[in-house]
Structure formats: C-alpha cells, structure tokens
Amino acid sequence: MTLKTLPVIALLVSGAWAQDGPCMADAMLDVSDSPGAGPAYPKPSVEASCEGDQLVVRSNGIPHYEFVQVTPNPLVERDNEFRVPARPQLADEKTPIPLLGSLGFAVNGMAIFGPNEGGVPVEEQFGDPIFNSIMDACMGHTAQEYHYHALVQKCLSTGVRPGEPSPILGFGFDGIPIRGPWGCVDADCSRVVRFRSSWEQVREPHQDAWDAYDYVEKEGPEYLDMCNGHAGPDGDYHYHATETWPYILGCYSGTPMPQARPGAPRPNLTQGQRPPAAARPPAARRPRGGGPGRTPRPSQSEVTAAAEALGLASDDVAKALRAEPGNLKPVNLAASARALGVEQGSLTEALGRQQRPRRQRPNLAPPEEPECFFRCGQSEEDAVGCTLTPDHKVLCFRPCDDNKCG
Ligand SMILES: [Zn+2]
Ligand SMILES: [Zn+2]
C-alpha cells in the first residue's frame, strides 16, 4: 500500500470526503518582497512545508501590508507555529469552534479567530467585532496578536480578476482550506457565484453575538452549511469567507488538530482549572477543537439537573446553554446566565460544575487618564470607542468627545 492510497481508503471506510493530492504548502503567500507592516516593524516572514502528514506553517505574526492601528495593543513580533492535517478529512460529526482564540490561520501566517470578540463591549460580553467597527480594512486587529475575524480577498491575494473563482485564503485547524467568497457552481465553471452564509441575524449582535445569529438551512447552490463550507463541483470540501456572520468558520467540518499551535498558551485550560484525568470523559467522547475559550458542552443530565435546581423549564435551560441537539454554537456560560436571568455562579453551581477562579487581571484598572482609541461612527454623537487590553478585555468604552477619529 502506498501512502497516496490512504486517503482513498479512508474515503471508502468513513464515506467522507478526504483531500487527496499534494500538500497545500504552496497556497501560503511568499511575503519576502512585500512592503510589510511599516518602517517601525520587522519584515514579515512566512514559511510553509509538509512534514509527514502535517502542513506546518511558521510566521512572525507581522502582516505583509501596512499596519493601521485600530486597537491600542501594539503589533509585536512573535513565533507562530501552526500544524494541521496535510490531507484533511471530513469528520463524522461537526464540532464547535472555540469561543476565544484561534481556529486557523491565513495564507500570510496571521491567526484566524472566531466571529465574536472576547470581552467587548464590556467584560463578559462577546460582541460581533465587525458590527462593532473595531477592525481594520483587512478585517484584522491586534490584541495579544494580530488576528482576523473575517477575511478580505484583496488583502490576501493578488492577480485575481473579478469574476474568477477565489483562491485559498487560509486553513482551519482541521486542515480544510478556506477560500475567498467566489467559486464555480458546476464542473465546467459555467457560472461563478458569491457564496453566502446561511446564518440569519435575529437580533443586534452588539453584545452576545452568538445569540444574535441562527443557522437556517437554505436552498440554492450559493448557500453554505452551518460551518460555512460546502463540497465544490469536483467534490472537494472547503470553507468560504463570507460577507456576513460567521464570516469565516461557523464550526469545524473536519477534525481539528489538538495541538495545532504547539506551545501556545491555553488560558482557559491552565493546570489548576483542568479536572483530573479520572473526572474527564473518555477521549473519544470529549468534544474536540480545543484551545483557548473552550467550555465543555453541557450534557443532557447536567441540563436536567440545572433546570431542576433553578426551577426553570428544561427546554429553556437547554436553549440558553446551546445544548439542544444540532446546536454547535460555542458554550458561553456568561451569556447563558444572562439569557436565563440568573447569576453565572448560580448557573455553574446548578450544572454541578466547579466555579472557576477568576483570572488575575492586574492590568485591568483603568489609568487615571485612559487613552481612548476609537473609530468614529456616522456623527460625533454616535461614535464610540473601545480599548482592548493584552488579554483581550476592554479597558474603557466611551463616546468620542473630540475629532481624533482614526
Ligand atoms: Zn479580535
Ligand atoms: Zn466552493
């Protein structure tokens, strides 16, 4: 048996599509001649190779285009290493993306985050950063690192003419490529369409963005699945970046690598907070796609116990906890507690879970004269500002009171 036949066998065994063919390292950008972020920053670097069955990408976290600051966090060089399956496969079941932190990387080596921000507009809230206008023109911004919440094709590719299918703009941690918004609807490419998300906005996404959008399956070749992907005309499954929520990925259709960022900090899975091995569900049943921002999905028995303890209807509790069958939204206990009108601590206790010690945030105290970074709205009256701290939390949030519009 040759290595090349393995994906075909996997296809036959699981009935799922598997990426065949060469490793996709060539999809990564050559940034060696790019202008870079600006004279004040190191030159960008991106290296991609295939090591065994993994696509390995290393970058220094500096974008290949001019950096325009929209949040106060500085752009700093860092050692990025991403490892994803070189020949990804569709999983039997889709899995949620993390509520916080990275879920993939773009072809310029910058991290891709999910569609919600952490702690914006105020702590414990998770608004839509695009709706809240805290992104640069390439839909990136800095917090701990420069990262994207949406992808803009012209920032990540050159030489693509209008009406042409989009190239690969990035990869999920499941190794599945993320293409730009345009693509063919049939094998002859008789028509190129702009692919569209099937998620609908049901309320204002200013605060708890995941509660503001619902997936509603739609007819039509341009509509994508819950994860924002589809199988193209030649059967290859990929995601598309879209104009609307979830912008990049709504969930993982493949199996994300547990160690997609070796050595990266995992702020919500630190030693003291992790349950002992014996208390953890077996690996096969544990929800995958880990990394920062992951809260375990509530089980049916936890939902029932919580509903009883809180004196609420089980259906309401399941809905608030996003624990209904088929719901793949990342769990967010703060938002769930708000939806149920209870304290987060009471909900955690009702679920039979241990309260997490609050993380030390020594830098959260606002300075005496907080520097307010902001982008102005339509008029000075409706303009707002926000300041992200290095741990992705808001330091201040106040109306603009002068003309320092960025
Ligand atoms: Zn962000
Ligand atoms: Zn497509």
Side-chain angles (χ1 to χ4, degrees), residues 275-397:
R280 274 185 255 141
R285 300 208 45 203
R286 208 183 307 152
R288 286 169 300 198
R294 168 161 293 288
T295 301
R297 301 194 78 68
S299 65
Q300 187 53 52
S301 57
E302 281 181 308
V303 170
T304 308
E308 252 173 52
L310 296 167
L312 297 168
S314 192
D315 286 356
D316 294 343
V317 174
K319 187 166 189 290
L321 286 166
R322 302 168 183 165
E324 312 126 295
N327 191 336
L328 289 171
K329 295 179 180 182
V331 176
N332 177 350
L333 292 184
S336 303
R338 265 196 297 282
L340 291 168
V342 300
E343 292 289 323
Q344 187 180 343
S346 314
L347 177 60
T348 308
E349 200 176 309
L351 281 166
R353 293 186 182 180
Q354 288 202 329
Q355 301 260 15
R356 276 186 178 156
R358 289 186 78 80
R359 272 194 288 154
Q360 299 263 315
R361 293 203 188 92
N363 298 328
L364 261 186
E368 286 192 2
E369 288 200 20
E371 194 176 2
C372 200
F373 289 80
F374 52 83
R375 304 178 73 190
C376 282
Q378 302 304 313
S379 65
E380 274 188 36
E381 282 74 37
D382 64 12
V384 291
C386 75
T387 297
L388 294 176
T389 61
D391 65 349
H392 230 227
K393 298 295 176 189
V394 160
L395 190 60
C396 67
F397 192 83

Side-chain angles (χ1 to χ4, degrees), residues 40-52:
Y41 303 101
K43 283 280 178 200
S45 84
V46 183
E47 284 170 29
S49 61
C50 289
E51 296 179 13

Side-chain angles (χ1 to χ4, degrees), residues 73-94:
N73 313 81
L75 176 65
V76 288
E77 191 173 21
R78 50 183 288 132
D79 285 331
N80 276 328
E81 182 177 315
F82 302 104
R83 289 179 173 268
V84 298
R87 293 173 187 83
Q89 275 184 256
L90 286 180
D92 292 341
E93 288 180 17
K94 297 177 182 342

Side-chain angles (χ1 to χ4, degrees), residues 113 116-118 129 134-135 141-143 147 149 388 392:
F113 280 28
N116 62 282
E117 193 59 63
I134 53 171
M135 308 308 300
H141 63 191
T142 43
H147 61 270
H149 290 281
L388 294 176
H392 230 227

Side-chain angles (χ1 to χ4, degrees), residues 31-374:
V31 301
S32 53
D33 290 332
S34 68
Y41 303 101
K43 283 280 178 200
S45 84
V46 183
E47 284 170 29
S49 61
C50 289
E51 296 179 13
D53 56 0
Q54 294 181 356
L55 167 61
V56 182
V57 170
R58 296 185 179 89
S59 77
N60 68 347
I62 303 292
H64 65 292
Y65 48 76
E66 188 186 359
F67 173 61
V68 176
Q69 193 160 1
V70 291
T71 52
N73 313 81
L75 176 65
V76 288
E77 191 173 21
R78 50 183 288 132
D79 285 331
N80 276 328
E81 182 177 315
F82 302 104
R83 289 179 173 268
V84 298
R87 293 173 187 83
Q89 275 184 256
L90 286 180
D92 292 341
E93 288 180 17
K94 297 177 182 342
T95 48
I97 54 173
L99 182 67
L100 295 172
S102 50
L103 56 78
F105 56 89
V107 288
N108 63 347
M110 301 300 109
I112 292 175
F113 280 28
N116 62 282
E117 193 59 63
V120 175
V122 295
E123 202 177 341
E124 303 295 354
Q125 297 195 343
F126 299 82
D128 177 338
I130 289 122
F131 179 87
N132 288 338
S133 298
I134 53 171
M135 308 308 300
D136 68 20
C138 290
M139 291 293 142
H141 63 191
T142 43
Q144 287 154 315
E145 62 182 316
Y146 186 87
H147 61 270
Y148 296 114
H149 290 281
L151 297 176
V152 178
Q153 181 166 303
K154 68 174 194 279
C155 295
L156 295 167
S157 67
T158 53
V160 185
R161 289 192 295 262
E164 284 184 352
S166 296
I168 292 173
L169 303 183
F171 293 88
F173 283 163
D174 54 8
I176 295 179
I178 303 159
R179 294 188 168 273
W182 301 89
C184 306
V185 291
D186 53 36
D188 296 334
C189 207
S190 62
R191 193 159 62 98
V192 171
V193 297
R194 180 173 197 132
F195 287 100
R196 300 177 64 180
S197 156
S198 298
W199 289 74
E200 292 179 0
Q201 189 182 325
V202 292
R203 62 178 73 105
E204 219 210 41
H206 180 59
Q207 298 182 352
D208 294 321
W210 281 99
D211 288 336
Y213 297 94
D214 281 333
Y215 171 73
V216 182
E217 197 178 326
K218 296 187 171 52
E219 293 286 325
E222 71 272 38
Y223 286 106
L224 302 168
D225 67 16
M226 186 184 288
C227 297
N228 235 26
H230 73 151
D234 50 3
D236 69 317
Y237 184 96
H238 49 263
Y239 305 111
H240 280 283
T242 52
E243 213 171 6
T244 58
W245 180 277
Y247 309 109
I248 311 176
L249 264 63
C251 47
Y252 291 114
S253 291
T255 305
M257 288 272 287
Q259 283 292 311
R261 297 190 81 173
R266 296 159 67 107
N268 284 357
L269 282 174
T270 52
Q271 284 292 320
Q273 296 164 5
R274 205 155 185 236
R280 274 185 255 141
R285 300 208 45 203
R286 208 183 307 152
R288 286 169 300 198
R294 168 161 293 288
T295 301
R297 301 194 78 68
S299 65
Q300 187 53 52
S301 57
E302 281 181 308
V303 170
T304 308
E308 252 173 52
L310 296 167
L312 297 168
S314 192
D315 286 356
D316 294 343
V317 174
K319 187 166 189 290
L321 286 166
R322 302 168 183 165
E324 312 126 295
N327 191 336
L328 289 171
K329 295 179 180 182
V331 176
N332 177 350
L333 292 184
S336 303
R338 265 196 297 282
L340 291 168
V342 300
E343 292 289 323
Q344 187 180 343
S346 314
L347 177 60
T348 308
E349 200 176 309
L351 281 166
R353 293 186 182 180
Q354 288 202 329
Q355 301 260 15
R356 276 186 178 156
R358 289 186 78 80
R359 272 194 288 154
Q360 299 263 315
R361 293 203 188 92
N363 298 328
L364 261 186
E368 286 192 2
E369 288 200 20
E371 194 176 2
C372 200
F373 289 80
F374 52 83

